[in-house]
Amino acid sequence: MTLTNEQLRLLENLTVAYDEWIAAERSLFRQGGRLAWKVIDGKDHLYRVIDRVGNAEYVGPRNAETEKLATREMPERKDARQRARALKRRFPELAAQYRALKLPRIADAAARVLVECDRRALLGSAVLVVGTNAMGAYELEAMDRFATGLDATEDCDLTWSGHEGLALSTTTPLSDAMKAVDSTYTVNAEKPFQIRNQMAYEVELLLPPSRTSGFPKQEKIRPLPLPEQDWLVLGTPVTQIVTSQRGIVTRLVVPDPRYFALHKRWLSDKPERNPRKKGKDRQQAEALWAAIKTSMPLYPVNHDFRNALPKELAETYEMLENGDPNKGPVSA
């Protein structure tokens, strides 16, 4: 179902509001907490308050350097906080319109995690959203609700997309972002690539082997290396703004749809794949492939694309283009 002009207008308004809000939130996060003067033994000392319960780090006594820092940062933080609050007040109305217009939504738990990742500038630069949660972004990119019934999921899968230079500058591990969302998130001792909270919501971190050297050593989650994840960091990612079931607004940054479709089709034939997931994998792949060819002009399927594919995907490409002669098409 092609998106209407009303839906497209709402998406534009939501995107503008979210982009301005996340810019303000990132400014607040980069500062690392608000600055405050405290009198000790009759002298002023500058502290940075680092959490909601009032824990603070000592910056230094009042002098030219600390006064300059406070004079610069305090007004900046106040302005960013005011902008963030004003913009966030628009979200409930926009989210209600989004829901009424039947646009694709994701689970609340996934949205909370992605908002915090985006606040820390991790989305896209360090991680991509993979798995079924990506389908909503592809629908918005295609401006077509082609995946209804194929977008339900009970967990969140991320793949590491960062490079070595990013790892050296990363000061906020993904596990810290998860803890900021929900303090009950803990790494699964049996599956160290998985982190879950007390409600058993699971987030899994996967790793393209080509990006192993760039993965931060300080990260507590140990990602699962899978050769096929290398395909998902190829091409040009899709970025779209969505809401959750209860109206949390967030960004989705997902793999190039062509490689995602090929990956899903390949998974549907992978012997080790859970048999209960194979049918959905194939349906998602075929629905997405059709949408790419008809509604995603920025992602051409042509000879140049075909010739640049990793050899492991050549047969999968032919199956999506021409159908599997042994199985025939799968109806959604």
Side-chain angles (χ1 to χ4, degrees), residues 8-21:
L8 294 174
R9 280 195 298 272
L10 183 278
L11 288 170
E12 178 63 23
N13 291 337
L14 187 67
T15 298
V16 170
Y18 180 86
D19 284 347
E20 293 181 2
W21 174 77

